[in-house]
Structure formats: C-alpha cells, structure tokens
Short mmCIF file of all heavy atoms in Angstrom, two decimals:
data_model
loop_
_atom_site.label_atom_id
_atom_site.label_comp_id
_atom_site.label_asym_id
_atom_site.label_seq_id
_atom_site.Cartn_x
_atom_site.Cartn_y
_atom_site.Cartn_z
N LEU A 1 -9.13 -5.45 8.74
CA LEU A 1 -9.25 -6.20 7.49
C LEU A 1 -10.36 -5.65 6.61
O LEU A 1 -10.23 -5.61 5.38
CB LEU A 1 -9.48 -7.69 7.76
CG LEU A 1 -8.24 -8.49 8.16
CD1 LEU A 1 -8.62 -9.91 8.56
CD2 LEU A 1 -7.21 -8.51 7.05
N LYS A 2 -11.45 -5.19 7.22
CA LYS A 2 -12.56 -4.62 6.45
C LYS A 2 -12.13 -3.36 5.71
O LYS A 2 -12.54 -3.12 4.59
CB LYS A 2 -13.74 -4.32 7.36
CG LYS A 2 -14.53 -5.54 7.72
CD LYS A 2 -15.72 -5.20 8.59
CE LYS A 2 -16.42 -6.47 9.03
NZ LYS A 2 -17.52 -6.20 9.96
N LYS A 3 -11.31 -2.53 6.36
CA LYS A 3 -10.91 -1.27 5.72
C LYS A 3 -9.60 -1.38 4.94
O LYS A 3 -9.20 -0.43 4.28
CB LYS A 3 -10.84 -0.14 6.75
CG LYS A 3 -9.69 -0.19 7.70
CD LYS A 3 -9.69 1.03 8.60
CE LYS A 3 -8.43 1.08 9.44
NZ LYS A 3 -8.37 2.27 10.28
N SER A 4 -8.97 -2.55 4.95
CA SER A 4 -7.65 -2.70 4.32
C SER A 4 -7.68 -2.70 2.80
O SER A 4 -6.69 -2.38 2.16
CB SER A 4 -6.96 -3.98 4.81
OG SER A 4 -7.59 -5.12 4.27
N LYS A 5 -8.78 -3.13 2.20
CA LYS A 5 -8.91 -3.19 0.73
C LYS A 5 -7.73 -3.93 0.09
O LYS A 5 -7.12 -3.45 -0.86
CB LYS A 5 -9.07 -1.80 0.15
CG LYS A 5 -10.33 -1.14 0.63
CD LYS A 5 -10.51 0.23 0.05
CE LYS A 5 -11.84 0.77 0.53
NZ LYS A 5 -11.85 2.14 0.87
N GLY A 6 -7.38 -5.09 0.66
CA GLY A 6 -6.31 -5.91 0.10
C GLY A 6 -4.93 -5.59 0.63
O GLY A 6 -3.97 -6.29 0.33
N GLU A 7 -4.81 -4.53 1.40
CA GLU A 7 -3.53 -4.13 1.99
C GLU A 7 -3.18 -5.10 3.13
O GLU A 7 -4.07 -5.62 3.80
CB GLU A 7 -3.72 -2.71 2.54
CG GLU A 7 -2.48 -1.99 2.93
CD GLU A 7 -2.78 -0.56 3.38
OE1 GLU A 7 -3.95 -0.14 3.35
OE2 GLU A 7 -1.82 0.12 3.76
N ALA A 8 -1.90 -5.31 3.36
CA ALA A 8 -1.45 -6.19 4.45
C ALA A 8 -1.81 -5.57 5.80
O ALA A 8 -1.82 -4.35 5.96
CB ALA A 8 0.04 -6.42 4.37
N VAL A 9 -2.10 -6.43 6.76
CA VAL A 9 -2.41 -5.99 8.12
C VAL A 9 -1.43 -6.67 9.07
O VAL A 9 -1.28 -7.89 9.05
CB VAL A 9 -3.87 -6.35 8.51
CG1 VAL A 9 -4.14 -6.00 9.97
CG2 VAL A 9 -4.87 -5.66 7.59
N LYS A 10 -0.75 -5.86 9.89
CA LYS A 10 0.16 -6.38 10.90
C LYS A 10 -0.50 -6.18 12.25
O LYS A 10 -0.90 -5.07 12.60
CB LYS A 10 1.49 -5.63 10.89
CG LYS A 10 2.49 -6.14 11.93
CD LYS A 10 3.65 -5.20 12.16
CE LYS A 10 4.56 -5.16 10.98
NZ LYS A 10 5.81 -4.39 11.25
N VAL A 11 -0.64 -7.29 13.01
CA VAL A 11 -1.28 -7.24 14.32
C VAL A 11 -0.24 -7.58 15.38
O VAL A 11 0.43 -8.61 15.28
CB VAL A 11 -2.47 -8.22 14.41
CG1 VAL A 11 -3.19 -8.06 15.74
CG2 VAL A 11 -3.43 -8.01 13.25
N LEU A 12 -0.10 -6.72 16.37
CA LEU A 12 0.83 -6.95 17.47
C LEU A 12 0.03 -7.34 18.70
O LEU A 12 -0.89 -6.61 19.10
CB LEU A 12 1.63 -5.67 17.75
CG LEU A 12 2.35 -5.05 16.56
CD1 LEU A 12 2.92 -3.69 16.93
CD2 LEU A 12 3.44 -5.98 16.05
N VAL A 13 0.33 -8.50 19.27
CA VAL A 13 -0.36 -8.98 20.47
C VAL A 13 0.64 -9.48 21.50
O VAL A 13 1.76 -9.89 21.15
CB VAL A 13 -1.39 -10.10 20.14
CG1 VAL A 13 -2.48 -9.59 19.23
CG2 VAL A 13 -0.73 -11.31 19.54
N SER A 14 0.22 -9.47 22.75
CA SER A 14 1.10 -9.97 23.82
C SER A 14 0.51 -11.20 24.50
O SER A 14 1.20 -11.87 25.25
CB SER A 14 1.35 -8.87 24.85
OG SER A 14 0.13 -8.33 25.32
N GLU A 15 -0.75 -11.50 24.24
CA GLU A 15 -1.41 -12.65 24.84
C GLU A 15 -1.40 -13.84 23.87
O GLU A 15 -1.75 -13.68 22.70
CB GLU A 15 -2.87 -12.31 25.17
CG GLU A 15 -3.03 -11.13 26.12
CD GLU A 15 -2.65 -11.48 27.55
OE1 GLU A 15 -2.86 -12.64 27.95
OE2 GLU A 15 -2.14 -10.60 28.24
N ALA A 16 -1.03 -15.03 24.36
CA ALA A 16 -0.98 -16.22 23.50
C ALA A 16 -2.37 -16.56 22.95
O ALA A 16 -2.49 -16.95 21.78
CB ALA A 16 -0.43 -17.40 24.29
N HIS A 17 -3.39 -16.38 23.76
CA HIS A 17 -4.76 -16.70 23.32
C HIS A 17 -5.18 -15.75 22.18
O HIS A 17 -5.80 -16.16 21.21
CB HIS A 17 -5.72 -16.59 24.50
CG HIS A 17 -7.07 -17.15 24.24
ND1 HIS A 17 -7.29 -18.50 24.09
CD2 HIS A 17 -8.27 -16.55 24.07
CE1 HIS A 17 -8.57 -18.69 23.85
NE2 HIS A 17 -9.19 -17.53 23.84
N ALA A 18 -4.80 -14.49 22.29
CA ALA A 18 -5.12 -13.51 21.24
C ALA A 18 -4.40 -13.89 19.95
O ALA A 18 -4.97 -13.80 18.86
CB ALA A 18 -4.74 -12.10 21.68
N LYS A 19 -3.15 -14.33 20.06
CA LYS A 19 -2.38 -14.75 18.88
C LYS A 19 -3.11 -15.88 18.16
O LYS A 19 -3.31 -15.84 16.95
CB LYS A 19 -0.98 -15.21 19.27
CG LYS A 19 -0.19 -15.79 18.10
CD LYS A 19 1.01 -16.59 18.55
CE LYS A 19 0.72 -17.94 19.08
NZ LYS A 19 0.51 -19.03 18.15
N THR A 20 -3.55 -16.87 18.93
CA THR A 20 -4.24 -18.02 18.34
C THR A 20 -5.52 -17.59 17.64
O THR A 20 -5.79 -17.99 16.51
CB THR A 20 -4.56 -19.06 19.44
OG1 THR A 20 -3.33 -19.46 20.04
CG2 THR A 20 -5.26 -20.27 18.86
N ASN A 21 -6.31 -16.74 18.31
CA ASN A 21 -7.59 -16.31 17.74
C ASN A 21 -7.41 -15.46 16.48
O ASN A 21 -8.13 -15.66 15.50
CB ASN A 21 -8.40 -15.54 18.78
CG ASN A 21 -8.96 -16.43 19.86
OD1 ASN A 21 -9.02 -17.64 19.70
ND2 ASN A 21 -9.34 -15.85 20.97
N VAL A 22 -6.46 -14.54 16.50
CA VAL A 22 -6.23 -13.68 15.33
C VAL A 22 -5.69 -14.52 14.17
O VAL A 22 -6.10 -14.35 13.02
CB VAL A 22 -5.26 -12.51 15.68
CG1 VAL A 22 -4.81 -11.77 14.44
CG2 VAL A 22 -5.93 -11.56 16.67
N GLU A 23 -4.79 -15.44 14.46
CA GLU A 23 -4.24 -16.32 13.43
C GLU A 23 -5.35 -17.16 12.78
O GLU A 23 -5.45 -17.23 11.55
CB GLU A 23 -3.17 -17.23 14.04
CG GLU A 23 -2.50 -18.15 13.05
CD GLU A 23 -1.43 -19.03 13.70
OE1 GLU A 23 -1.33 -19.08 14.94
OE2 GLU A 23 -0.69 -19.66 12.94
N LYS A 24 -6.20 -17.77 13.59
CA LYS A 24 -7.30 -18.58 13.07
C LYS A 24 -8.26 -17.73 12.23
O LYS A 24 -8.73 -18.16 11.19
CB LYS A 24 -8.08 -19.24 14.21
CG LYS A 24 -7.40 -20.43 14.81
CD LYS A 24 -8.28 -21.02 15.91
CE LYS A 24 -7.61 -22.18 16.60
NZ LYS A 24 -8.44 -22.73 17.69
N TYR A 25 -8.55 -16.53 12.71
CA TYR A 25 -9.47 -15.66 11.98
C TYR A 25 -8.91 -15.29 10.61
O TYR A 25 -9.61 -15.36 9.61
CB TYR A 25 -9.79 -14.39 12.79
CG TYR A 25 -10.69 -13.46 12.01
CD1 TYR A 25 -12.04 -13.76 11.87
CD2 TYR A 25 -10.20 -12.33 11.40
CE1 TYR A 25 -12.87 -12.94 11.13
CE2 TYR A 25 -11.02 -11.49 10.67
CZ TYR A 25 -12.36 -11.81 10.54
OH TYR A 25 -13.19 -11.00 9.80
N GLY A 26 -7.63 -14.90 10.57
CA GLY A 26 -7.01 -14.55 9.30
C GLY A 26 -7.08 -15.69 8.30
O GLY A 26 -7.44 -15.50 7.13
N LYS A 27 -6.79 -16.89 8.76
CA LYS A 27 -6.84 -18.07 7.88
C LYS A 27 -8.27 -18.37 7.43
O LYS A 27 -8.49 -18.76 6.30
CB LYS A 27 -6.23 -19.28 8.58
CG LYS A 27 -4.71 -19.18 8.72
CD LYS A 27 -4.12 -20.37 9.44
CE LYS A 27 -2.61 -20.24 9.54
NZ LYS A 27 -2.01 -21.35 10.28
N SER A 28 -9.24 -18.14 8.33
CA SER A 28 -10.63 -18.40 7.97
C SER A 28 -11.14 -17.43 6.91
O SER A 28 -12.12 -17.71 6.22
CB SER A 28 -11.53 -18.32 9.21
OG SER A 28 -11.78 -16.98 9.58
N GLN A 29 -10.44 -16.32 6.75
CA GLN A 29 -10.81 -15.32 5.75
C GLN A 29 -10.06 -15.56 4.42
O GLN A 29 -10.13 -14.73 3.51
CB GLN A 29 -10.51 -13.91 6.26
CG GLN A 29 -11.30 -13.53 7.50
CD GLN A 29 -12.79 -13.65 7.29
OE1 GLN A 29 -13.36 -12.99 6.43
NE2 GLN A 29 -13.44 -14.52 8.05
N GLY A 30 -9.32 -16.68 4.36
CA GLY A 30 -8.61 -17.02 3.14
C GLY A 30 -7.32 -16.24 2.95
O GLY A 30 -6.80 -16.16 1.84
N LYS A 31 -6.79 -15.69 4.03
CA LYS A 31 -5.58 -14.88 3.96
C LYS A 31 -4.35 -15.71 4.31
O LYS A 31 -4.44 -16.71 5.01
CB LYS A 31 -5.66 -13.70 4.95
CG LYS A 31 -6.87 -12.81 4.76
CD LYS A 31 -6.77 -12.00 3.52
CE LYS A 31 -7.92 -11.01 3.43
NZ LYS A 31 -7.89 -10.24 2.21
#
C-alpha cells in the first residue's frame, strides 16, 4: 500500500486470520 500510489492492491491469503487482519487494515486506511 505504501508503494502503490493509489493503485489497487490484490492480496492472496490462505489463512482465515490473515484475511481478517488484512481486511481490517485496509478499511482502517480508508480504502
């Protein structure tokens, strides 16, 4: 996200806990 400069970021995860954490982080950044 830091290097994206507004570009979309697609994250692939296999762990449910990782999905939850990445989802929460993205939303906390206003995305």
Side-chain angles (χ1 to χ4, degrees):
L1 282 173
K2 282 182 185 176
K3 72 176 188 178
S4 71
K5 297 181 176 140
E7 192 176 359
V9 175
K10 180 194 290 188
V11 185
L12 307 171
V13 297
S14 54
E15 302 287 327
H17 192 70
K19 174 196 77 81
T20 301
N21 288 343
V22 170
E23 182 179 11
K24 283 181 183 178
Y25 178 74
K27 288 179 179 178
S28 78
Q29 299 303 300
K31 304 289 186 182

